Amino acid sequence: MSDCLGGVDNLRVLASLPAATLHPAFERARIPATALAERVYAAVEIIQIGLVWRISRQAYALPDIDPLVPESAHVSSAAAAGFATPASIRTTGSPTKRVKMSTAVDQLDESEVDLLDGSEIEQSYGNFREAVGADPLVDADPTVEQITAMHTKVLKRNEAPYADFSALCF
């Protein structure tokens, strides 16, 4: 499946894929069953891939969208139910998720801060890429909460860029 999407090598790249790119990939993807034959993904396998995509988006604070439902159905069902569409949520200000500093970088700091939005997270990765020349290693990729906490400590509070990740439980 990764090959049909252009080579997804980490969770952040998967989260950034638009839902519209998944449908053609589902149709093109084949699983080699034997040396002579291949098979299409079963419905349950497609659902599992969709769930992994949704979880990856949640991990990076991106909006939760069901990739198996056509995009037009998302907007029309939300409007019919009286819910705001994603564009109007951004303009009216949706409730912001918060992160406790004590669970992200500093056990002694009990303050809470607003989680950075997706564009700020992408900017952080862009800054890292510019400084280092590559994305973080998969096993060293920070969480959105850790990026938010360090952003707050260093850029907003002008504190030392120190974090104690050894004793924190996630």
Side-chain angles (χ1 to χ4, degrees), residues 81-102:
F83 295 115
T85 61
S88 63
I89 289 173
R90 280 192 295 277
T91 58
T92 59
S94 66
T96 305
K97 290 184 180 180
R98 298 183 62 80
V99 60
K100 270 190 103 161
M101 296 291 282
S102 63

Side-chain angles (χ1 to χ4, degrees), residues 29-65:
R30 299 290 182 265
I31 299 172
T34 66
L36 300 174
E38 47 185 42
R39 67 175 180 84
V40 297
Y41 279 87
V44 171
E45 293 168 322
I46 291 173
I47 291 168
Q48 291 170 337
I49 294 167
L51 290 172
V52 169
W53 181 80
R54 289 176 74 178
I55 290 167
S56 69
R57 290 181 59 81
Q58 289 176 0
Y60 288 93
L62 296 170
D64 184 22
I65 301 168

Side-chain angles (χ1 to χ4, degrees), residues 3-124:
D3 293 338
C4 290
L5 294 169
V8 178
D9 59 353
N10 64 51
L11 200 57
R12 187 175 50 79
V13 171
L14 179 63
S16 299
L17 288 173
T21 62
L22 294 178
H23 289 281
F26 290 145
E27 293 171 11
R28 288 190 318 267
R30 299 290 182 265
I31 299 172
T34 66
L36 300 174
E38 47 185 42
R39 67 175 180 84
V40 297
Y41 279 87
V44 171
E45 293 168 322
I46 291 173
I47 291 168
Q48 291 170 337
I49 294 167
L51 290 172
V52 169
W53 181 80
R54 289 176 74 178
I55 290 167
S56 69
R57 290 181 59 81
Q58 289 176 0
Y60 288 93
L62 296 170
D64 184 22
I65 301 168
D66 187 347
L68 304 177
V69 176
E71 194 168 330
S72 59
H74 290 290
V75 175
S76 62
S77 64
F83 295 115
T85 61
S88 63
I89 289 173
R90 280 192 295 277
T91 58
T92 59
S94 66
T96 305
K97 290 184 180 180
R98 298 183 62 80
V99 60
K100 270 190 103 161
M101 296 291 282
S102 63
T103 62
V105 294
D106 185 352
Q107 295 179 19
L108 300 176
D109 186 351
E110 290 297 322
S111 64
E112 289 186 4
V113 296
D114 291 342
L115 205 59
L116 295 176
D117 66 26
S119 64
E120 292 171 306
I121 295 296
E122 278 305 312
Q123 179 63 45
S124 296

